[in-house]
C-alpha cells in the first residue's frame, strides 16, 4: 500500500536533511531527505539551507514517491524514520 501525502516538516540543519511526513492509513510516518539526495534529484549542488523548503516543494511528488517505495520495499518498524539518501536516487 503506497503512502499518501502528509505534512511538510522543515529543514534540520544538524542532520542536513529536510523533514516531512507521509500517511499509512491513519498512521503518520516520519521521513527525511538528505541535502545531497535532494540536490541529486534536482540536478544541482550546494543549495543554500534557506532554499531547501522551496526545493522540497518543487520536488515533492518525486520525493514522496521515493519514500513510499522505500516503505513498500521492506519491513517497516513502527516509529522508525524513512531516510532518503543519494543511493535511493536513480541515475537515469
Amino acid at each position: 500500500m503506497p503512502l499518501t501525502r502528509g505534512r511538510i516538516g522543515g529543514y534540520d540543519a544538524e542532520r542536513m536533511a529536510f523533514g516531512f511526513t507521509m500517511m499509512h492509513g491513519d498512521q503518520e510516518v516520519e521521513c527525511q531527505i538528505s541535502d545531497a539526495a535532494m540536490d541529486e534529484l534536482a540536478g544541482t549542488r550546494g543549495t543554500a539551507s534557506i532554499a531547501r523548503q522551496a526545493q522540497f516543494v518543487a520536488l515533492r511528488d518525486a520525493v514522496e514517491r521515493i519514500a513510499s517505495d522505500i516503505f513498500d520495499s521492506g519491513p517497516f518498524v513502527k516509529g522508525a524514520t524513512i531516510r532518503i539518501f543519494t543511493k535511493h536516487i536513480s541515475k537515469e
Side-chain angles (χ1 to χ4, degrees), residues 8-45:
I8 294 175
Y11 185 70
D12 182 338
E14 186 175 313
R15 294 192 188 279
M16 296 178 63
F18 193 86
F20 60 102
T21 65
M22 300 285 290
M23 300 301 294
H24 182 248
D26 61 354
Q27 177 186 357
E28 191 171 59
V29 178
E30 293 290 329
C31 304
Q32 290 182 339
I33 182 167
S34 71
D35 286 2
M38 206 152 34
D39 279 351
E40 181 76 24
L41 196 57
T44 188
R45 292 181 68 158

Side-chain angles (χ1 to χ4, degrees), residues 59-78:
L59 300 170
R60 189 171 188 177
D61 289 338
V63 171
E64 289 177 337
R65 188 170 35 259
I66 294 165
S68 186
D69 289 348
I70 292 170
F71 181 85
D72 288 341
S73 71
F76 181 73
V77 177
K78 188 174 182 175

Side-chain angles (χ1 to χ4, degrees), residues 43-92:
T44 188
R45 292 181 68 158
T47 302
S49 60
I50 61 170
R52 289 293 176 190
Q53 184 162 336
Q55 185 182 37
F56 175 80
V57 169
L59 300 170
R60 189 171 188 177
D61 289 338
V63 171
E64 289 177 337
R65 188 170 35 259
I66 294 165
S68 186
D69 289 348
I70 292 170
F71 181 85
D72 288 341
S73 71
F76 181 73
V77 177
K78 188 174 182 175
T81 299
I82 293 175
R83 290 186 170 87
I84 303 171
F85 298 103
T86 55
K87 69 181 183 180
H88 298 112
I89 310 301
S90 63
K91 310 220 185 327
E92 297 172 5

